[in-house]
């Protein structure tokens, strides 16, 4: 068995019951096999063994009181996975499905994603199994305050900088920041995705969705094509999905279907983004309402059916493993030409294989959704410099970063003889910088 396969087998044995972590590690380590073959010093210094073991995992309880006075206890996590190239950086996810496996897969992905941005940020992730759905603002605030009452001692602007993810948006970041400031007495850039009135950056809200579409646009441009007239499906209807929809349509595409965890809507005229934002951002409502408000739109219960809607491009922007081999085959049969992953690991390993065998252009999450964290790093730079850049300045930097990542992974794939395999290209390109930094820093 070669070095990468041995490390993978060992990882599975040492971390039982962590399927998402195994899945992410399998994809990454298999891509890295040819790299470690060219660098025997990596095996001598147990570089891969160190790379797949988090530097630190913080696990804590989060007690909070609901509006009726009942006490609840949730689990809190922060996985500080790798700080070779910069302070730990990565979002916080509040969702009932959060467990150690989910946290570790997200943090592992984040290491390579953050490296791909070219900016000095290490990899981390955190969150809780708390479900913000159906909770009042005051319940969410009390939960965030309790979460931060423990987390504050593990983070800092130069050590670990959390941000949002599923279930954590502007409202939650505000409550978390307020509590951090009260406990530490410091107004610093310890969280990103902050509001514009207290240190946030323009474009951070739009960044992941816009960045995804900038990469799609570049991939199409390199093939003599464009978004003009393309039919697009976007899963999810949260932060990433909304701004992917907005940008794709601004560039001439029609987004014909979107979903939330209850069901999906179709709108063959193209989703009305103003209505979508009103429902999702202002009312915090369900996607079903969209079909009731927009003539011609239809609602279908259950979200899996979305992949049966014919499209040229699919942008999964909700959660992990939304597209399995069966859904992938359906998309291929209906003519999909490009997949851009906005969510983290939305396609199963078998699903990826279906797309790649069919010659579909496949832009993997750690490259395609890196625009969010890249803009977070730009927010950190503005905080440290005590200054603000204009929307146009940040947007231009985001676009340059996304096209840069595309070419970086494209070239890495070519250099290793797997032209067009962007899964391998992204893993290799991201890993090279982390490996260099780890080698330079000794056995730590
Ligand atoms: P939001 O909480 O804003 O939106 C999440 C969306 O996905 C909602 O529509 C939600 O539906 C849906 N969803 C979540 N879980 C499930 C599920 N198990 N089944 C079906 N639908 C589900 O999160 P974001 O938009 O911020 O994040 C979406 C994805 O993008 C995640 O994978 C995240 O890790 C990734 N990402 C986010 C970045 C960011 O900057 N925010 C950056 C890079 C990646 P419902 O409301 O019904 O739960
Ligand atoms: O998955 C991700 O890259 C994010 N949720 C964004 C992380 C960040 O620190 O902005």
């Amino acid at each position: 068995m070669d070095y990468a396969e041995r490390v993978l087998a060992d990882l599975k044995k040492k971390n039982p019951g962590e399927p998402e972590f195994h899945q992410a590690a399998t994809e990454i380590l298999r891509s890295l096999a040819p790299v470690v073959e060219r660098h025997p010093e990596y095996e001598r210094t147990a570089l891969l063994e160190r790379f797949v073991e988090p530097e630190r995992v913080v696990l804590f309880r989060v007690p909070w009181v609901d509006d009726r006075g009942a006490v609840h206890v949730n689990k809190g996590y922060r996985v500080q996975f790798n700080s070779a190239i910069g302070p730990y950086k990565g979002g916080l996810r509040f969702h009932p499905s959060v467990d150690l496996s989910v946290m570790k897969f997200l943090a592992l992905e984040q290491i390579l994603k953050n490296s791909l941005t070219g900016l000095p940020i290490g990899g981390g992730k955190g969150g809780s199994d708390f479900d913000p759905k159906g909770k009042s603002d005051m319940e969410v605030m009390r939960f965030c305050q309790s979460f931060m009452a423990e987390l504050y001692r593990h983070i800092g602007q130069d050590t670990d900088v959390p941000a949002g993810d599923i279930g954590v948006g502007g409202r939650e970041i505000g409550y978390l920041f307020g509590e951090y400031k009260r406990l530490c007495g410091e107004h610093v850039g310890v969280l990103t995705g902050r509001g514009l009135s207290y240190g946030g950056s323009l474009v951070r809200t739009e960044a992941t969705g816009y960045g995804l579409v900038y990469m799609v646009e570049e991939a199409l441009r390199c093939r003599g094509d464009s978004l003009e007239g393309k039919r697009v499906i976007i899963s999810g209807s949260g932060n990433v999905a909304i701004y992917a929809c907005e940008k794709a349509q601004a560039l001439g595409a029609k987004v014909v279907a979107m979903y939330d965890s209850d069901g999906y809507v179709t709108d063959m005229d193209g989703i009305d983004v103003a209505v979508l934002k009103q429902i999702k951002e202002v009312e915090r409502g369900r996607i079903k309402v969209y079909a009731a408000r927009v003539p011609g739109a239809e609602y279908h219960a259950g979200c899996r059916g979305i992949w049966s809607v014919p499209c040229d491009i699919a942008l999964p922007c909700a959660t992990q493993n939304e597209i399995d081999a069966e859904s992938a085959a359906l998309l291929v049969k209906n003519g999909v030409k490009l997949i851009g992953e906005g969510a983290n690991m939305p396609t199963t390993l078998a699903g990826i294989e279906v797309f790649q065998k069919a010659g579909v252009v496949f832009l993997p999450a750690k490259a395609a959704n890196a625009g969010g964290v890249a803009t977070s790093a730009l927010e950190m730079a503005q905080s440290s410099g005590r200054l603000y850049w204009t929307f146009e300045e940040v947007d231009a930097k985001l676009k340059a970063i996304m096209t840069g990542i595309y070419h970086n992974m494209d070239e890495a794939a070519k250099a290793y003889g797997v032209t067009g395999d962007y899964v391998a290209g992204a893993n290799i390109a991201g890993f090279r910088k982390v490996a260099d930094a780890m080698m330079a820093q000794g056995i730590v």
Side-chain angles (χ1 to χ4, degrees):
M1 217 192 294
D2 70 26
Y3 178 38
E5 284 297 330
R6 257 189 294 118
V7 172
L8 179 60
D10 199 40
L11 173 149
K12 288 181 180 168
K13 207 162 65 199
K14 282 187 182 165
N15 301 276
E18 297 182 8
E20 292 86 0
F21 181 52
H22 296 180
Q23 183 182 338
T26 301
E27 183 215 282
I28 291 170
L29 288 171
R30 297 220 161 120
S31 297
L32 296 181
V35 182
V36 296
E37 220 165 87
R38 285 191 199 177
H39 293 272
E41 70 277 18
Y42 290 174
E43 186 169 357
R44 283 200 299 274
T45 56
L47 185 81
L48 285 185
E49 290 88 331
R50 289 185 285 135
F51 175 72
V52 298
E53 194 65 53
E55 290 175 15
R56 190 176 305 99
V57 178
V58 185
L59 248 164
F60 51 100
R61 77 164 178 245
V62 191
W64 59 281
V65 184
D66 72 19
D67 291 343
R68 294 172 297 110
V71 179
H72 302 265
V73 182
N74 284 99
K75 283 181 184 292
Y77 301 86
R78 187 71 185 167
V79 177
Q80 299 181 327
F81 216 125
N82 192 301
S83 61
I85 64 176
Y88 309 109
K89 181 85 197 82
L92 297 172
R93 176 177 292 190
F94 292 170
H95 192 273
S97 63
V98 163
D99 61 17
L100 189 58
S101 173
V102 169
M103 293 284 97
K104 283 171 67 180
F105 110 68
L106 287 164
L108 180 64
E109 286 281 294
Q110 200 81 44
I111 302 169
L112 299 180
K113 181 196 308 195
N114 293 3
S115 168
L116 283 169
T117 67
L119 299 166
I121 40 179
K125 198 84 187 190
S128 174
D129 58 357
F130 173 73
D131 186 359
K133 233 178 272 167
K135 306 291 191 298
S136 70
D137 282 355
M138 289 300 101
E139 287 174 332
V140 170
M141 182 184 78
R142 286 195 294 276
F143 176 81
C144 288
Q145 290 174 340
S146 181
F147 186 84
M148 187 53 85
E150 174 57 36
L151 186 68
Y152 85 95
R153 53 184 113 242
H154 309 289
I155 61 175
Q157 62 171 340
D158 295 318
T159 50
D160 184 357
V161 183
D165 193 81
I166 293 178
V168 179
R171 175 183 63 173
E172 291 74 19
I173 293 293
Y175 295 148
L176 290 162
F177 184 75
E179 184 67 9
Y180 181 88
K181 184 165 62 64
R182 180 164 69 165
L183 292 167
C184 298
E186 284 184 340
H187 199 300
V188 292
V190 67
L191 292 161
T192 57
R194 282 169 288 151
L196 297 176
S197 57
Y198 62 98
S201 173
L202 286 160
V203 195
R204 178 62 190 88
T205 303
E206 297 85 353
T208 311
Y210 278 20
L212 168 65
V213 176
Y214 291 149
M215 183 175 285
V216 168
E217 191 189 19
E218 183 66 6
L220 291 170
R221 194 188 63 78
C222 291
R223 290 163 177 78
D225 204 347
S226 79
L227 275 160
E228 192 62 47
K230 296 287 186 297
R231 288 164 310 165
V232 178
I233 289 181
I234 300 181
S235 63
S237 45
N239 172 264
V240 178
I242 291 170
Y243 291 94
C245 176
E246 179 170 279
K247 183 56 79 178
Q249 297 200 146
L251 294 173
K254 260 200 175 99
V255 176
V256 295
M258 290 181 82
Y259 77 42
D260 60 26
S261 59
D262 295 331
Y264 71 97
V265 292
T266 52
D267 186 346
M268 295 309 155
D269 298 330
I271 293 282
D272 184 327
V273 180
V275 174
L276 177 71
K277 283 186 181 176
Q278 171 66 27
I279 294 167
K280 286 289 168 185
E281 295 187 331
V282 180
E283 300 167 22
R284 293 181 183 274
R286 309 303 299 160
I287 197 94
K288 187 176 186 172
V289 176
Y290 181 92
R293 275 189 207 168
V294 177
E298 282 176 27
Y299 177 72
H300 309 262
C303 46
R304 271 180 64 90
I306 196 170
W307 309 119
S308 66
V309 179
C311 67
D312 306 300
I313 294 173
L315 306 177
C317 293
T319 194
Q320 61 273 6
N321 294 329
E322 336 172 39
I323 303 183
D324 58 11
E326 203 185 314
S327 304
L330 195 55
L331 281 160
V332 169
K333 186 173 139 244
N334 287 334
V336 78
K337 293 286 177 298
L338 184 147
I339 306 291
E341 294 190 318
N344 284 303
M345 205 168 78
T347 316
T348 63
L349 293 172
I352 295 174
E353 209 181 311
V354 170
F355 290 132
Q356 291 188 329
K357 277 199 176 134
V360 172
V361 178
F362 186 83
L363 305 174
K366 65 176 70 66
N369 73 28
V373 76
T375 309
S376 279
L378 300 177
E379 181 175 330
M380 290 164 72
Q382 292 169 83
S383 296
S384 306
R386 302 278 189 269
L387 47 80
Y388 288 111
W389 296 326
T390 63
F391 191 97
E392 289 70 27
E393 280 174 288
V394 183
D395 194 38
K397 288 184 203 293
L398 169 64
K399 193 165 182 177
I401 290 168
M402 296 313 295
T403 53
I405 295 173
Y406 174 78
H407 290 288
N408 195 4
M409 70 179 179
D410 186 49
E411 280 153 26
K414 285 183 184 143
Y416 279 85
V418 284
T419 304
D421 180 349
Y422 299 133
V423 173
N427 286 328
I428 292 167
F431 180 72
R432 281 199 292 216
K433 185 176 173 188
V434 179
D436 279 354
M438 287 178 73
M439 290 303 287
Q441 292 170 27
I443 310 294
V444 289

